[in-house]
Amino acid sequence: MNFRIVACFILLTISLNIFSQENAPHLKGKVKISIKEGTFDCDLTLSNFPKIQDYLIRLNSGMNLLHIRSKKPKDIVVIYEKSDKDSTSSGESLAYYIPDNNRKGKFIPEELQFRYVAKFPVANDTIANFSREDWRGNIAFNGMSVRCDGRQSAWYPIIYDAKKDITYDRVVYDIEFICEDCKTIYANGNKPVNATSAHLISNEPKEIALFCGNYDFIDDGTITILNPKFEEEKIKQFSNLVSSYKKYYEQKLNIKFNQTPTFINTTPTSKKNGWLFVSYPTIMGIGWGKHGLAGIFEEKSQKFYKPLIAHELGHYYFGTIKVFNSELGDMMSEGFTEYMALKLTEENQTEKNYDEVIAKKIENLKNFKPNSFSMVKSITDISVRQTYVYDYAPMIFIAIEKEIGKKKMWEWLKNIIETKVEFTNYDFLVSTLKNTLKNDKKAELIINAYFNNVNSTENAIKKITEK
């Protein structure tokens, strides 16, 4: 059986800021789930809306609305419209808005209640009841559990600022979860609870990823693992590995991790898919056997899986502390995270392992003619996203490291994380580089060779491979 392992998928447009409690939306209500039936029954009220005019509210397309109700200033069932212009939606969700009285603009009340139900397929075996594909945004029932992220699956209503390209997927929440056929309930931002119901509250804004089902969990203070199927000694080894990776990033960037990572071990709804993704502090490992989280414990696959774990932990910095938008936002989120994972591999594994990874990426770039960063004016200008963000971008960054040195490179990454701007676009990329180098001549050399050059791929490979 051929398994396709893909790295974490991040939407091309994601929210810009780390939201404080004051400006994050609030979500309150009740959610009933059945893992045997594949059902959701939700009564959720959204409030504390950001002050935006051109908004949309995304909700998974499988959710069947009973109504959207204004709770304040008036208690009334509202008329809503669907938008066909939400080009940033990845397809899982529909985009709603409430028209104003003249139906030319948009109106948003102080509180909106959403009542909806849904029934999803339950893929409980690999002989007859399975899906062809599984993916991050899937609301995935496998017979033993339900798994979903927040941002892409949009199982709860998510506000999107269309003008500023900001997705408010991180919310302060107060939700009663009920799952009568579950043993454990977990929502991002809380510890897992051994119960069929749990009243979960998060006063820090979180993307509400869910994992509810029949499983056990362990928490050793360094990591939490949901559904562990591994020997105790291997779990200790994994905990030590995660601790060392966190320490490496903290030392390089001088920015501490603020929460214990929670790893989820589960299976896909399909026969072949396997991958990792992060909704920090949750890291989901999805796959059968060694093609899932168990791969980190297999001697033969460790050298492949260790960089993946390094990558997902790196998304604490690029994707959680610093969240990107604009046409180059996805490239920066994935490209810089992959660069950090490569550096960790270089310094914590064998030189041979690092050289093999670099050689593979160079091989992937043969005959690849991408638009360089300055030429990307929209997300459609990035062809073959997988190659662009996971191979091309990190190779460009390693070439730049060869030009400016590792110390300056880490300074640039820290500068990117800490610089606040409205749009993380090409100008942002250039300005942070210049502010880091404080050397116009060197900055222009890099820009001309790697940011604004039709031969940027060749230039990068030449620089990386030169003796």
Side-chain angles (χ1 to χ4, degrees):
M1 183 180 295
N2 293 322
F3 285 80
R4 180 168 59 89
I5 308 295
V6 297
C8 141
F9 176 78
I10 297 293
L11 287 179
L12 295 181
T13 55
I14 52 185
S15 51
L16 175 61
N17 299 311
I18 289 197
F19 304 122
S20 66
Q21 182 173 339
E22 289 73 26
N23 62 9
H26 293 188
L27 192 65
K28 186 174 183 177
K30 182 182 290 187
V31 175
K32 296 181 181 180
I33 298 170
S34 170
I35 60 171
K36 292 180 180 178
E37 299 297 326
T39 57
F40 272 76
D41 186 340
C42 301
D43 182 351
L44 294 170
T45 298
L46 193 62
S47 62
N48 199 45
F49 296 100
K51 295 179 180 180
I52 54 178
Q53 295 297 320
D54 190 9
Y55 76 92
L56 295 165
I57 299 175
R58 294 173 178 163
L59 188 64
N60 188 278
S61 57
M63 303 298 186
N64 301 297
L65 276 166
L66 171 65
H67 64 235
I68 301 177
R69 188 181 195 97
S70 169
K71 303 293 286 185
K72 290 182 181 179
K74 290 183 179 181
D75 189 354
I76 185 173
V77 174
V78 298
I79 296 172
Y80 58 83
E81 300 283 355
K82 296 178 184 178
S83 172
D84 59 358
K85 297 180 180 179
D86 186 14
S87 60
T88 59
S89 177
S90 58
E92 289 89 348
S93 61
L94 297 175
Y96 300 90
Y97 67 92
I98 301 167
D100 60 16
N101 289 333
N102 60 22
R103 305 187 74 83
K104 292 182 179 179
K106 296 178 180 179
F107 169 72
I108 191 163
E110 293 178 41
E111 292 185 3
L112 278 178
Q113 179 195 39
F114 295 78
R115 289 288 309 276
Y116 54 92
V117 297
K119 183 174 177 60
F120 296 93
V122 179
N124 55 8
D125 70 64
T126 57
I127 298 174
N129 296 327
F130 63 90
S131 58
R132 182 176 177 83
E133 295 288 337
D134 199 351
W135 66 101
R136 173 176 175 147
N138 189 19
I139 296 179
F141 288 89
N142 65 3
M144 296 298 294
S145 63
V146 59
R147 173 209 89 225
C148 53
D149 79 335
R151 179 191 304 131
Q152 190 172 332
S153 74
W155 72 264
Y156 58 93
I158 294 174
I159 302 169
Y160 173 66
D161 185 336
K163 184 177 181 180
K164 293 185 177 180
D165 188 18
I166 300 175
T167 304
Y168 291 84
D169 56 296
R170 302 182 197 183
V171 297
V172 170
Y173 67 83
D174 180 344
I175 301 174
E176 181 183 0
F177 290 94
I178 301 170
C179 184
E180 295 291 349
D181 48 11
C182 289
K183 177 182 176 180
T184 304
I185 294 172
Y186 173 76
N188 207 23
N190 273 271
K191 295 290 186 181
V193 179
N194 265 139
T196 57
S197 65
H199 187 180
L200 302 181
I201 298 171
S202 177
N203 292 319
E204 292 185 10
K206 295 294 180 186
E207 175 194 350
I208 315 178
L210 295 180
F211 186 59
C212 305
N214 295 315
Y215 61 86
D216 295 314
F217 60 90
I218 64 101
D219 183 348
D220 70 356
T222 298
I223 59 172
T224 303
I225 303 180
L226 278 54
N227 194 33
K229 300 291 184 180
F230 324 114
E231 297 173 7
E232 184 177 350
E233 185 58 34
K234 289 186 175 181
I235 291 174
K236 287 182 180 179
Q237 291 173 7
F238 184 44
S239 179
N240 290 336
L241 180 77
V242 171
S243 180
S244 69
Y245 284 7
K246 288 169 57 179
K247 184 177 180 180
Y248 175 85
Y249 288 144
E250 288 174 343
Q251 289 176 341
K252 293 296 184 182
L253 293 167
N254 197 28
I255 300 172
K256 293 286 187 180
F257 277 80
N258 67 352
Q259 285 182 293
T260 300
T262 297
F263 290 86
I264 293 176
N265 176 48
T266 188
T267 57
T269 59
S270 61
K271 295 174 73 171
K272 295 184 178 181
N273 296 107
W275 76 105
L276 298 166
F277 73 80
V278 61
S279 300
Y280 198 80
T282 300
I283 297 174
M284 294 206 186
I286 302 146
W288 297 100
K290 67 180 181 180
H291 299 281
L293 192 61
I296 193 66
F297 305 107
E298 298 286 339
E299 186 174 347
K300 291 182 179 179
S301 56
Q302 276 190 350
K303 72 175 184 179
F304 177 76
Y305 268 89
K306 284 182 178 180
L308 287 182
I309 297 297
H311 181 100
E312 300 310 328
L313 287 171
H315 272 304
Y316 170 66
Y317 297 99
F318 291 91
T320 305
I321 291 181
K322 186 67 176 184
V323 190
F324 299 85
N325 66 356
S326 84
E327 61 280 354
L328 287 177
D330 180 52
M331 179 280 294
M332 289 188 229
S333 182
E334 294 299 338
F336 284 118
T337 302
E338 184 67 3
Y339 168 81
M340 291 202 304
L342 287 169
K343 294 297 100 180
L344 193 152
T345 299
E346 181 183 29
E347 295 187 30
N348 288 272
Q349 294 190 39
T350 66
E351 184 178 346
K352 180 182 178 182
N353 286 351
Y354 176 74
D355 290 342
E356 286 177 353
V357 175
I358 296 298
K360 179 63 176 175
K361 289 186 181 297
I362 290 175
E363 178 68 23
N364 291 343
L365 292 175
K366 280 188 177 179
N367 303 317
F368 186 61
K369 296 292 183 182
N371 288 316
S372 60
F373 300 154
S374 69
M375 301 172 190
V376 176
K377 305 302 180 184
S378 75
I379 58 175
T380 58
D381 292 330
I382 294 177
S383 61
V384 195
R385 173 191 176 270
Q386 184 82 9
T387 305
Y388 197 97
V389 303
Y390 296 113
D391 297 317
Y392 172 71
M395 289 300 96
I396 293 292
F397 299 144
I398 288 180
I400 294 173
E401 174 206 294
K402 296 282 187 180
E403 301 278 5
I404 67 177
K406 290 182 180 180
K407 183 179 178 180
K408 277 294 179 185
M409 194 68 190
W410 284 106
E411 285 181 22
W412 185 28
L413 268 60
K414 184 176 174 65
N415 197 354
I416 288 170
I417 293 168
E418 295 179 343
T419 300
K420 295 181 179 181
V421 292
E422 190 171 28
F423 292 102
T424 54
N425 52 20
Y426 178 72
D427 290 341
F428 166 75
L429 191 69
V430 170
S431 65
T432 53
L433 176 67
K434 288 183 175 180
N435 289 339
T436 301
L437 296 180
K438 294 180 172 57
N439 183 327
D440 290 342
K441 185 177 180 180
K442 174 63 78 172
E444 287 303 316
L445 182 152
I446 291 168
I447 291 166
N448 292 333
Y450 307 113
F451 287 7
N452 187 23
N453 196 308
V454 294
N455 296 316
S456 57
T457 305
E458 292 84 352
N459 292 344
I461 292 173
K462 181 179 178 181
K463 188 66 182 180
I464 293 168
T465 56
E466 71 180 11
K467 303 297 182 182

